[in-house]
Every structure is written in structure tokens, then in C-alpha cells.
Amino acid sequence: MPAAPSDATSGDHAAAPPRTRSWQAWGWEESAATDEQTGRLGAALAGRFGIGLPTAETPVPLGSVELRAPRVDPPATLAHLCSTDRRDRAAHTYGRSYRDVVRLLRGDLPHPPDVVAHPADEADVVALLDWCASAGIAAIPFGGGSSVVGGVEADVGDDWAGVVSLDLTRMDRVVEIDRVSRAARIQAGALGPVLEAQLRPHGLTLRHYPQSFEFSTLGGWLATRAGGHFATVYTHIDDLCESLRVVTPSGTAESRRLPGSGAGPSPDRLFLGSEGALGVITEAWMRLQDRPRWKTSAGVEFPDLGAGADAVRALAQSGLFPVNCRLLDAGEAMLSATLSPGAGALLVLGFESADHPVGAAMDRALELCRDHAGTLPTAPSSTDSGVPAAAGTGGAAGRDGAAGEWRNSFLRAPYTRDALVRLGVICETFETACTWDRFAMLHAEVTAAVEDALRRICGAGWVTCRFTHAYPDGVAPYFSVLAPGRRGSELSQWAEIKAAASEAVLAAGGTITHHHAVGRDHRPWYDRQRPDVFAAALRAAKSAVDPAGIMNPGVLVD
Ligand SMILES: Cc1cc2nc3c(=O)[nH]c(=O)nc-3n(C[C@H](O)[C@H](O)[C@H](O)COP(=O)(O)OP(=O)(O)OC[C@H]3O[C@@H](n4cnc5c(N)ncnc54)[C@H](O)[C@@H]3O)c2cc1C
């Protein structure tokens, strides 16, 4: 079994030296911040907090991690799909939230999965679920393992004979392309780059780029209703999904391929966002796009977040639909891009199209920004050669100015987060969405609640905000928290800060999550947010498709 995924066989990076997926942190082992880089980061932050930070903690090596012995044995017919390798079990114990990374760093893994299964096709998934149901074993679907809400955590309580983590990444093929309808049938375990590499020769793209793109899968995106980094229109995976195929313990469900349908509640809507609690998504027909040929981006500065928010609302209601429309407050901008003296917010704005030049849309968008006190330090950069633009989320900072700087720092951010964790810094994000009429109040109250919590719990700290998605009727604000932790107590400190943030979000009328999903971590607030009648209907659906309750216990419903 492939215990340590490497990209040597993906075909997407054939010329690059092989790299090894970290079992303990984000991404590739080879891309982690070095001790020297971590030290420099610590010195810079110590200046910011005005306190000394401890020296970087050394990650506990895998050999020193205590893993309890597997409690279950797969039947002989499934043994070839199953691994009890230490590295494999450790790598499937948690997702990649701040809380997960702290525990992985310290080798704190009391509840590893007993077995990691690597099904190669749908028949394997059926056989594995049959085994789990008959033996009273909890089954946790696992895509890229990038969950930040405890969605893949193998701690499911004592009611189960064991836990099997179902790693879907061997099921990674684009099986069929319908060029006429511009759609493809894609297996759920395909990681972002693997999927795009198979679409590229056809001049097509899914164009779904969450920040976790490199290490998350189509099935994970569908199961969590992921949001891509585009700000408007084609960004939610829900909207890109034409039909789904799901293996549940009660049988397989496949919806009909349709561009739209008024035939009652949509079967897809039951499984989109089901977070592995109803079944395993094995494949989906996905709506594709032609690769963009024209692109333009600009960084617009505003005196403060309020003026920027007014401009974003005007843009979202204008029908221009920019693909990028990220507003960063001063703190966020300072972390990831440059801001002119006196500016209080930066809007990273972009348009692109496979069909027509986008200069006119940018011109009108900049007029709207100017109406709201926006200024443009440098002219927009454009690609309008008529040649399809390169895929992916990267960009040259030099060419794209503030927008490019922001993109580069965005992609590097999870590695930086891991370095900060080693320095004892509490470093996490939380996100929500609200209608425009509530935004100013929500922003003020959530910021005040978190700043108060940081003062009480950490003595110092920093909360910043950016917009990830903008809608005609509202916005998705995304908050980042940085604070000096007390070594050994960081997790309880973060739990208190997170609870304060979540209470403030719900009180201000926001959602407990806009795109990070519910998992185990958001349950207390999700249970309060959803209507009781809906919770009862969801429980009934769960007992219909998963009568023994083996699918990802503790997630979404009990
Ligand atoms: C650094 C970082 C950046 C992130 N950026 C974004 C972002 O920009 N946008 C965003 O939306 N999210 C983001 N996330 C969160 C995470 O990447 C998403 O939730 C993603 O959709 C999870 O995909 P995955 O394949 O890693 O799923 P996993 O983490 O493996 O699983 C997530 C959930 O889906 C279930 N699941 C996985 N595969 C299947 C399947 N085939 N069938 C049924 N259930 C399944 C799991 O059981 C679990 O409940 C980020 C996370 C990190 C760590």
C-alpha cells in the first residue's frame, strides 16, 4: 500500500524530483520552512507582539509516536486493500487544522484509525462498507485529509469495534469527457492537480481552486461544499456538479445528468455537504470550462475596510462578476502584500474569460472603486494574447504587483502556519457569511469578541479580516487569528478563543461556516443554527441510508 503518497507517479510533475507527503504537517516534507526560516519568522513576530517567543519546537519523529495496536483485522478478501503501516495510520488520524497540526507536531495520537483502506474501484468501496457494517466498525471517508473541522478525525467514541479510514486517492481518473455538453465524469479521489492534468490536454478545466487545491480531492470538495478562490459565480463546487454517484451502506445512489431539474428536491443536494456521514461519493459528472485566454488583475487601495466593503458590494451588485474580489484589511494586507502609507484596505480584483477581452469590465469595476474612494497605485496587469492562460493559482508577483504578492503568499501560507505552530504561536482562521445589511455589525462584534478573548487568554494577539466570496446580497468574511500561546496550553487557549468567535458569529446572524464545513468541531454551533425539523429529517435520511450508523460517526448528525 502507498503509505507515504509521493507525486512521482501523478504525471503532473514528471520533470520535478519526487517529493514526500508529510504525515505530520501541511503538504510536502521538502517544502516545509527550514529551522533557519522558522527562526527568522519567530524574531519578526516577537517584534510585532513585543514579547520573546520560545525557540522552535522539534517535531516528534514518527518512530517515537505511540500508536495503539490495531483492534480489527480485515478479512482475507480485503487484506490487499488494507494497511496497518504506522505512517499510513498516523497520516490518517487527523485533518490539517491548527489543532491537528499541534497534536501531530507533539506525536499526540491516542485515536489512530485501526486500518487504512485504499479502494481501487467502487466494488472495493462496497465490499469495505459491507465489512464495516457487519463488524460494527466506523468508516471514515478520507480524500486529501485537508479538513480543518475534525471531519476525518478517527476519534469516534467507544461504541465501535474499530475505525477504518477509507482513503479514496487511488480512485483518481477522469473517466469520460462529454465535449458537447462540456462535462466530465471524474472519480472522487482525484486530487486537484491530478484532475486538472487529465483535463488540460482537452483544453478544459474544472477551475475549482480552494487554497488546499494541491492536497484535497474532488470527493472531499463535494462532501464539504468547498469554495474555490474565485470570488463570484463559478466558485462553489455545488454549482459545478451535474450529477453524483454515492455508495451508502444501504445501496448505491446515482442521480441523472441534467443541466437543471424541477423534479422535486434535488437528490444531489442530499449528498453535497454530507461530509462522509451518509456514504462515499465515488464519482461525479462535473461541469467544465474552457481555459481562460484573457485575464486582468489589479490591486485597489481604500482608506479603510468600510469603504472597501462598500465598493465590493457595488461590484457584487453590478453584474460584472469579477473572478477575484478579495478585500484585505490592513492587517491582512501587511501579512501578504504591500500597502501604501495611509491605506487601510486592499482589494485584489481580477477578471478573466475564455471568450472575450475583459479590459472593459475592469475599467467599469475601477470606476465603481473610485466612486468609493478607491485608488490604484499601479496600472492593472493583463494577459490578452489570445493564448490560453496557464492553469493553477500561482502568479508572478513582479508582473502582477500587489495582486501577485497576495497570491504567492496565499499559497505559501499553510507552510508558514506550521512554522508558527512550532514557535508556540496560536495561528488559525475562522470564516462565516452574512447579508450585507449585517456586515458592519458582524465585523465589529466578532472582532471585539475575539480581541477581548485574546487579551484575557493570551495577553496579546491579532485578529484580521478578508473577504473570500462576495454575493449580490452578502459577503463571506474570513478572520485570521495570531497570538502568543502558552506552550502546552495552546489547544485549550484556542478552544476558548474559538468558542468566543463562534458565539459572536451566531449572535450576529452569521453562519458557523461558509465553506470549511461542520465536521466534529462545529457541531455545537451547527446544531443550534439548523432548524429542529431539518435536523429530524437529516437524522431520518441517515437512518435510511446508513442504518447501523457506521458512516463518520459524530459528523453532522448523531
Ligand atoms: C491550508 C488549507 C486551506 C484550505 N482552503 C480551503 C478553501 O480555500 N476552500 C474550502 O472550501 N476549503 C478549504 N480548506 C478546507 C478543506 O481543504 C476542504 O474542506 C476540502 O474540501 C476537503 O477536501 P479533502 O479531499 O481534503 O477532504 P478530507 O479532508 O479528506 O475530508 C473532508 C470531509 O469530507 C469527507 N469526504 C472526503 N472524501 C469523501 C468522499 N469521496 N465521499 C464522501 N465523503 C468524503 C470526509 O469524511 C470529511 O468529512 C482548506 C484547508 C486547509 C488545511
Side-chain angles (χ1 to χ4, degrees):
M1 269 320 104
S6 110
D7 67 349
T9 53
S10 74
D12 195 34
H13 305 275
R19 297 169 291 181
T20 305
R21 240 338 248 286
S22 172
W23 68 270
Q24 192 168 33
W26 177 253
W28 303 114
E29 283 182 357
E30 294 76 5
S31 301
T34 60
D35 285 349
E36 197 200 330
Q37 288 164 336
T38 305
R40 277 205 304 271
L41 190 62
L45 260 178
R48 169 79 210 179
F49 288 136
I51 53 161
L53 285 177
T55 50
E57 201 168 334
T58 306
V60 169
L62 183 60
S64 308
V65 175
E66 268 183 48
L67 281 192
R68 98 182 143 202
R71 297 167 296 176
V72 291
D73 257 340
T77 49
L78 297 177
H80 66 293
L81 303 174
C82 295
S83 154
T84 52
D85 171 88
R86 281 178 71 73
R87 188 181 174 100
D88 218 3
R89 291 176 66 213
H92 289 80
T93 300
Y94 298 124
R96 285 297 178 269
S97 67
Y98 163 72
R99 190 166 159 253
D100 298 334
V101 173
V102 170
R103 291 180 292 176
L104 286 163
L105 173 74
R106 298 189 174 146
D108 179 16
L109 284 72
H111 303 286
D114 298 278
V115 170
V116 180
H118 298 266
D121 57 28
E122 195 175 286
D124 290 345
V125 174
V126 172
L128 286 160
L129 289 191
D130 284 350
W131 166 47
C132 291
S134 64
I137 295 169
I140 303 184
F142 192 103
S146 67
S147 169
V148 283
V149 291
V152 292
E153 181 156 348
D155 181 5
V156 296
D158 300 326
D159 295 341
W160 307 96
V163 178
V164 172
S165 180
L166 287 172
D167 182 315
L168 278 308
T169 51
R170 281 175 79 191
M171 296 171 60
D172 67 353
R173 279 181 314 120
V174 173
V175 187
E176 202 178 337
I177 291 182
D178 171 355
R179 196 66 184 80
V180 177
S181 317
R182 223 177 51 178
R185 180 155 72 94
I186 307 175
Q187 291 184 313
L191 291 158
V194 175
L195 175 166
E196 285 293 337
Q198 294 173 76
L199 295 176
R200 192 173 303 124
H202 304 272
L204 293 168
T205 172
L206 181 62
R207 290 195 73 60
H208 179 72
Y209 296 119
Q211 189 185 21
S212 53
F213 170 77
E214 204 178 351
F215 303 105
S216 55
T217 60
L218 174 63
W221 300 338
L222 293 163
T224 59
R225 299 180 62 200
H229 83 162
F230 296 127
T232 60
V233 203
Y234 300 119
T235 190
H236 285 282
I237 200 72
D238 321 23
D239 300 329
L240 307 178
C241 179
E242 197 176 69
S243 74
L244 274 177
R245 200 171 153 88
V246 187
V247 172
T248 77
S250 295
T252 299
E254 181 171 5
S255 57
R256 190 172 280 220
R257 281 188 65 199
L258 290 167
S261 168
S266 160
D268 294 341
R269 290 271 157 195
L270 180 62
F271 294 108
L272 288 166
S274 59
E275 301 192 26
L278 301 180
V280 179
I281 299 166
T282 52
E283 60 179 46
W285 272 95
M286 299 300 297
R287 303 187 173 111
L288 303 178
Q289 297 176 54
D290 294 312
R291 305 187 78 76
R293 296 165 62 183
W294 288 272
K295 286 186 167 193
T296 178
S297 64
V300 187
E301 294 181 344
F302 292 90
D304 52 42
L305 189 72
D310 288 343
V312 170
R313 179 163 54 83
L315 284 164
Q317 294 176 346
S318 69
L320 286 167
F321 302 123
V323 291
N324 207 347
C325 191
R326 267 186 201 234
L327 184 67
L328 319 182
D329 73 7
E332 282 276 333
M334 216 154 69
L335 287 174
S336 56
T338 25
L339 209 53
S340 306
L346 172 72
L347 176 63
V348 181
L349 187 61
F351 288 88
E352 59 184 50
S353 170
D355 181 72
H356 48 262
V358 285
M362 177 61 93
D363 289 346
R364 175 63 192 134
L366 293 177
E367 270 174 25
L368 285 172
C369 290
R370 281 188 205 102
D371 290 348
H372 293 89
T375 53
L376 197 65
T378 50
S381 68
S382 299
T383 308
D384 58 1
S385 61
V387 176
T393 49
R399 194 193 67 216
D400 287 357
E405 271 177 53
W406 171 80
R407 266 202 308 273
N408 292 345
S409 136
F410 179 69
L411 294 175
R412 188 68 206 155
Y415 293 107
T416 308
R417 186 266 316 253
D418 292 354
L420 291 170
V421 170
R422 290 183 57 200
L423 290 162
V425 175
I426 296 174
C427 176
E428 184 55 302
T429 61
F430 63 93
E431 36 83 64
T432 182
C434 64
T435 45
W436 281 116
D437 61 317
R438 289 171 182 266
F439 166 69
M441 181 265 291
L442 179 139
H443 177 260
E445 291 186 0
V446 170
T447 304
V450 175
E451 282 178 348
D452 174 60
L454 290 172
R455 262 191 308 275
R456 281 187 292 108
I457 299 159
C458 302
W462 205 6
V463 55
T464 60
C465 179
R466 66 177 187 248
F467 291 179
T468 56
H469 301 84
Y471 305 90
D473 58 338
V475 64
Y478 185 102
F479 296 87
S480 301
V481 174
L482 266 189
R486 212 170 34 254
R487 193 158 268 175
S489 304
E490 297 99 324
L491 292 186
S492 57
Q493 290 182 299
W494 169 245
E496 261 191 83
I497 298 163
K498 170 75 179 174
S502 302
E503 290 299 329
V505 161
L506 280 206
T511 171
I512 191 59
T513 174
H514 171 263
H515 58 268
H516 278 171
V518 175
R520 293 177 173 78
D521 299 355
H522 282 148
R523 272 299 296 279
W525 297 280
Y526 171 67
D527 286 11
R528 280 160 53 194
Q529 179 178 330
R530 68 184 172 189
D532 290 343
V533 171
F534 175 75
L538 194 56
R539 274 194 292 275
K542 166 102 174 158
S543 37
V545 298
D546 179 21
I550 59 165
M551 297 304 311
N552 217 355
V555 164
L556 287 183
V557 276
D558 295 319

